[in-house]
Amino acid sequence: MHPTAFIVFHSAAPHPVEPARLRSTLAAAGHRVLSEEPFEDPGRSGSRWEVTGSVRQLRALVNPLDGNNARSEDPAVRALSISVVPSELVRAPKMLLVMDVDSTLIKQEVIELLAAHAGCEDEVTEVTEAAMRGDLDFAQSLHTRVKMLAGLDVAVIEQVRSIIELSDGARELIASFKAAGHHVAVVSGGFAQILDPLAAELGLDFACANDLGIEDGKLTGTVNGQVVDRAYKETMLRAWAGQLGIELGHTIAAGDGANDLDMVGAAGLGVAFNAKPALRDAADARIDLPRLDVIGNLVGIA
């Protein structure tokens, strides 16, 4: 039996020309399209094709057609994302989706919201952006930023929690995965004091984040215990998959920055969500639309 994989293409609007180019490219290389499942959901349009060939073969073919790599001045072409998804992932009886939190599950960076209360938002934002680009060691950057929060009243945590906004489609994505019998977790370089109540509200299976030091009702400017850096994010992905009895090839990891590189690389499908270049270049799939539930389209979960 010939191997197959799924080619998924999506954009903010239908593309009458690019799918034809894709079909022509596949046929010229001797690959057959076995099935097509078009989708039209909020904020995007696309289709998922099952195609003969290995993941490696198909990625080599479609990579030049992907809008991220296509040499075109046409913004419509550049907006088209084409991903190759392993068929064993799409057909897995149980999947584990692990997501970053700041700028992925939620729209904001929590540490910047806290820093606004401490009067050091610009300084913290500058360090955060450098860390997400991969220019700074994450653990070092975290300690530098958290130190600037020393002395903040603990009541600020609740104020920040109250203004957090989920990314568009996040709630729908989680609900669809859970309804299909799959598992969803989040791992964050942010803070458990913010994340844990949100994870409980969303019914997530697991959540892991840094623990802010607090004494006498004030932030100490430190974090307790293990720093959740890029290596630890991968550790948690593997640990949760093992705990659930899920093969690593049946996992999905999604994030936006350099701190997500290890878990995105280790997962069965690594997704870059409106990501920095370092992660966009390394991920198996990219989403450049402001809808997190496109992840469901990638693996056939409505």
Side-chain angles (χ1 to χ4, degrees):
M1 186 174 179
H2 294 294
T4 67
F6 286 86
I7 294 178
V8 186
F9 55 89
H10 70 270
S11 61
H15 284 261
V17 177
E18 293 308 304
R21 287 185 61 207
L22 176 59
R23 191 184 302 277
S24 175
T25 299
L26 293 170
H31 299 281
R32 291 184 296 121
V33 177
L34 302 178
S35 66
E36 302 179 31
E37 297 177 60
F39 53 83
E40 188 83 32
D41 293 312
R44 75 280 196 184
S45 174
S47 189
R48 186 172 49 257
W49 297 356
E50 185 172 13
V51 180
T52 59
S54 69
V55 169
R56 178 175 295 184
Q57 289 172 328
L58 294 173
R59 282 181 178 157
L61 278 176
V62 306
N63 188 56
L65 303 179
D66 183 72
N68 191 41
N69 305 304
R71 295 184 178 182
S72 173
E73 297 303 318
D74 183 350
V77 173
R78 297 197 65 80
L80 183 72
S81 294
I82 307 177
S83 307
V84 178
V85 181
S87 56
E88 55 267 32
L89 173 63
V90 174
R91 295 195 171 99
K94 294 284 185 183
M95 284 187 272
L96 169 63
L97 168 63
V98 179
M99 293 181 285
D100 174 45
V101 177
D102 294 36
S103 297
T104 302
L105 178 68
I106 66 174
K107 295 180 179 180
Q108 304 106 316
E109 292 282 335
V110 165
I111 196 164
E112 293 175 8
L113 298 178
L114 291 169
H117 289 271
C120 56
E121 184 176 8
D122 290 344
E123 297 94 320
V124 165
T125 298
E126 183 177 351
V127 177
T128 298
E129 291 177 351
M132 291 303 99
R133 290 193 305 267
D135 296 342
L136 295 176
D137 172 75
F138 181 81
Q140 180 183 1
S141 75
L142 179 70
H143 290 304
T144 298
R145 289 175 289 163
V146 170
K147 189 174 181 179
M148 299 182 200
L149 306 180
L152 273 182
D153 194 282
V154 72
V156 168
I157 292 174
E158 183 58 41
Q159 295 175 37
V160 166
R161 190 186 298 141
S162 70
I163 63 172
I164 284 176
E165 296 180 65
L166 290 174
S167 291
D168 295 341
R171 197 177 295 275
E172 292 86 346
L173 174 67
I174 293 165
S176 64
F177 263 72
K178 299 288 285 182
H182 303 298
H183 300 274
V184 184
V186 288
V187 59
S188 174
F191 308 111
Q193 286 86 351
I194 299 290
L195 178 58
D196 288 352
L198 180 61
E201 176 199 336
L202 294 171
L204 302 183
D205 295 278
F206 303 103
C208 177
N210 295 298
D211 181 37
L212 281 170
I214 298 172
E215 290 183 6
D216 299 324
K218 304 286 185 182
L219 301 191
T220 62
T222 62
V223 291
N224 300 318
Q226 171 69 50
V227 170
V228 182
D229 58 8
R230 59 186 279 182
Y232 197 67
K233 285 188 173 189
E234 180 188 350
T235 296
M236 296 313 301
L237 167 74
R238 292 178 180 275
W240 290 331
Q243 184 174 333
L244 294 167
I246 293 176
E247 297 178 25
L248 201 60
H250 297 171
T251 65
I252 306 162
D256 72 295
N259 199 37
D260 304 309
L261 276 165
D262 290 5
M263 73 170 184
V264 164
L269 183 70
V271 180
F273 180 68
N274 296 304
K276 311 298 185 295
L279 189 65
R280 284 170 60 90
D281 293 343
D284 302 314
R286 82 177 208 279
I287 298 172
D288 293 332
L289 304 174
R291 297 283 317 188
L292 195 59
D293 51 351
V294 174
I295 293 173
N297 297 126
L298 295 177
V299 294
I301 297 176

